[in-house]
């Protein structure tokens, strides 16, 4: 993965607009957070292979970490804390937020075919 | 070694055996006892991807699968089974189907010892669900045929609730193998190895400070 370049990522997001695509969206602070620090409130969620069709998609922010929003016909997909991206051989757009200590905090991924 | 000895290890994540069990496994295989390792997921949802990232959410399972195969090779395990459940979802699977599948392996290989987590004291929901399924599988057997169950526990209250572990094994004779097995899970352990090298004791978890000592609680059915 490489640090997000807004223009580049924006162009790729637009390739996924107005057609059925598959979404992986995730936030996490780790299953062990509350084990190591009992005052820590651990929360997270993920959705894998949701079939969506967005009419408008934008990645934005003055500097990293960035935010992204995908406007659906009757709703939204939103993520913040995005720092890195990659386009895979299979044409999947992977956008992620990595904390300074190297832990994944958020992932927003689009694929023309279902994720494995 | 008695002729029929066979060890079955059941864990949900590729590195669950690394710190607390890899020495025990290596000692068994070193005596010629076959070890079957069933790993339920590929740890697909691991968070440690680096910054700059060395892996993505999609490449991580492939990396961890390779690491697990390397670790198995280090420990001389020649029966490694990856069952393809997804990380963080084991507790949502049908528990009866899962324990029936584990019972199937027990009936197939007839293990004399099973190693898994201790239900209630193993912190991660996948650990708990795996442990419950293994216990249920063994419980479904006639009492006289049940293999010994050695469980790993590490919740903050495990000593308080379970007392001292009753199986304590000095694995210093295979410590090099153990360190190689830990290193094989590089995506998960590289930072720990670095902390050990720097002798940064604040960063090194207790389990590594007592790397030559592995401990288990023998599960007792009611
Ligand atoms: Zn685990």
């Amino acid at each position: 993965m490489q640090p997000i370049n807004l223009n580049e990522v924006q162009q790729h997001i637009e390739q996924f607009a107005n057609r059925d695509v598959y979404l992986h969206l995730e936030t996490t602070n780790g299953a062990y957070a509350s084990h190591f620090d009992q005052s820590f409130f651990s929360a997270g969620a993920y959705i894998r292979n949701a079939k969506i069709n967005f009419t408008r998609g934008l990645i934005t922010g003055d500097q990293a970490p960035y935010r992204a929003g995908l406007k659906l016909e009757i709703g939204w997909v939103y993520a913040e804390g995005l720092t890195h991206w990659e386009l895979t051989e299979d044409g999947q757009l992977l956008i992620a937020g990595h904390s300074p200590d190297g832990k994944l905090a958020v992932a927003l991924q689009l694929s023309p075919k279902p994720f494995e | 070694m008695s002729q029929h000895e066979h060890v079955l290890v059941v864990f949900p994540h590729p590195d669950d055996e690394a710190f607390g069990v890899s020495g025990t496994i290596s000692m068994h295989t070193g005596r010629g006892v076959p070890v079957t390792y069933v790993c339920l997921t590929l740890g697909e949802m691991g968070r440690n991807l680096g910054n700059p990232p060395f892996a993505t959410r999609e490449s991580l399972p492939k990396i961890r699968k390779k690491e697990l195969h390397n670790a198995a090779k280090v420990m001389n395990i020649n029966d490694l089974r990856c069952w393809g459940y997804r990380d963080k979802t084991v507790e949502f699977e049908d528990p009866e189907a899962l324990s029936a599948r584990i019972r199937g392996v027990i009936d197939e290989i007839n293990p004399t010892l099973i190693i898994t987590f201790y239900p209630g004291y193993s912190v991660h929901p996948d650990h708990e669900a795996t442990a419950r399924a293994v216990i249920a599988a063994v419980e479904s057997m006639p009492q006289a045929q049940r293999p010994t169950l050695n469980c790993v526990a590490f919740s903050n209250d495990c000593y308080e609730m379970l007392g001292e572990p009753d199986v304590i094994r000095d694995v210093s004779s295979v410590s090099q193998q153990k360190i190689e097995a830990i290193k094989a899970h590089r995506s998960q352990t590289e930072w720990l190895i670095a902390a050990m090298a720097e002798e940064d004791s604040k960063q090194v978890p207790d389990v590594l400070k007592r790397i030559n000592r592995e401990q288990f609680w023998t599960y007792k059915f009611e």
Side-chain angles (χ1 to χ4, degrees):
Chain A
M1 298 193 113
Q2 46 188 307
I4 287 174
N5 171 308
L6 279 187
N7 286 335
E8 242 175 323
V9 176
Q10 180 62 36
Q11 281 176 26
H12 286 291
I13 288 175
E14 286 169 12
Q15 303 288 313
F16 287 88
N18 297 307
R19 60 183 174 122
D20 286 351
V21 294
Y22 295 88
L23 170 74
H24 172 98
L25 179 68
E26 166 187 359
T27 74
T28 173
N29 43 38
Y32 295 103
S34 300
H35 174 67
F36 293 125
D37 174 0
Q38 284 173 63
S39 67
F40 190 88
F41 181 80
S42 186
Y46 79 81
I47 180 167
R48 189 160 178 85
N49 282 327
K51 200 202 275 187
I52 63 165
N53 192 319
F54 63 89
T55 54
R56 178 182 158 74
L58 184 69
I59 182 161
T60 187
D62 295 331
Q63 57 183 40
Y66 299 103
R67 302 175 299 281
L70 310 176
K71 188 178 173 66
L72 310 177
E73 197 189 352
I74 54 163
W76 285 93
V77 172
Y78 170 84
E80 64 182 44
L82 303 170
T83 58
H84 290 80
W85 78 289
E86 176 178 312
L87 191 72
T88 72
E89 290 170 356
D90 304 328
Q92 300 170 335
L93 178 61
L94 312 182
I95 311 173
H98 293 254
S99 64
D101 64 347
K103 302 269 196 280
L104 183 84
V106 58
L108 169 62
Q109 306 182 160
L110 297 168
S111 173
K113 286 195 214 125
F115 288 99
E116 223 175 86
Chain B
M1 158 200 156
S2 62
Q3 206 54 46
H4 66 280
E5 268 185 275
H6 195 145
V7 178
L8 172 61
V9 179
V10 188
F11 286 131
H13 306 129
D15 62 337
D16 284 338
E17 88 295 349
F19 298 112
V21 187
S22 60
T24 295
I25 292 173
S26 300
M27 284 178 77
H28 283 301
T29 57
R31 299 190 291 123
V33 175
V35 174
T36 296
Y37 184 177
V38 172
C39 192
L40 271 60
T41 84
L42 292 176
E44 290 90 343
M45 299 301 284
R47 294 184 68 217
N48 200 18
L49 302 179
N51 195 347
F54 61 82
T56 70
R57 181 45 84 237
E58 302 308 311
S59 69
L60 186 66
K62 298 178 182 96
I63 292 170
R64 294 194 70 175
K65 189 171 190 179
K66 201 173 287 171
E67 290 173 345
L68 178 58
H69 279 270
N70 290 341
K73 199 177 285 175
V74 169
M75 294 180 282
N76 290 313
I77 293 173
N78 48 28
D79 184 14
L80 172 64
R81 307 183 187 191
C82 298
W83 276 6
Y85 294 95
R86 189 175 179 86
D87 195 7
K88 284 187 164 182
T89 67
V90 179
E91 64 178 323
F92 305 108
E93 294 284 347
D94 175 357
E96 280 166 23
L98 182 57
S99 71
R101 199 170 169 193
I102 292 165
R103 175 70 196 268
V105 177
I106 294 173
D107 291 345
E108 175 198 336
I109 67 173
N110 197 16
T112 42
L113 171 67
I114 299 181
I115 298 174
T116 189
F117 284 113
Y118 205 114
Y121 305 97
S122 55
V123 182
H124 191 296
D126 286 341
H127 298 175
E128 297 290 340
T130 302
R132 286 195 300 268
V134 173
I135 301 299
V138 175
E139 200 162 26
S140 73
M141 304 171 72
Q143 211 164 336
Q145 290 170 24
R146 291 175 190 164
T148 304
L149 261 167
N150 282 353
C151 300
V152 174
F154 67 102
S155 65
N156 291 315
D157 66 349
C158 69
Y159 288 96
E160 189 189 326
M161 303 304 287
L162 295 172
E164 290 296 316
D166 60 311
V167 177
I168 291 169
R169 186 171 289 114
D170 177 1
V171 299
S172 50
S173 64
V174 292
S175 63
Q176 204 47 45
Q177 236 173 317
K178 176 164 183 174
I179 287 165
E180 291 306 315
I182 292 171
K183 280 185 177 168
H185 295 287
R186 192 174 152 220
S187 69
Q188 306 303 303
T189 59
E190 197 166 31
W191 67 276
L192 283 170
I193 300 289
M196 278 168 80
E198 283 167 30
E199 293 179 1
D200 181 352
S201 64
K202 248 194 358 239
Q203 294 286 319
V204 179
D206 289 344
V207 71
L208 277 184
K209 287 180 189 149
R210 47 172 179 78
I211 192 161
N212 285 326
R213 181 187 133 119
E214 295 186 352
Q215 59 181 40
F216 303 90
W217 282 263
T218 302
Y219 191 86
K220 289 178 192 72
F221 290 95
E222 303 282 303

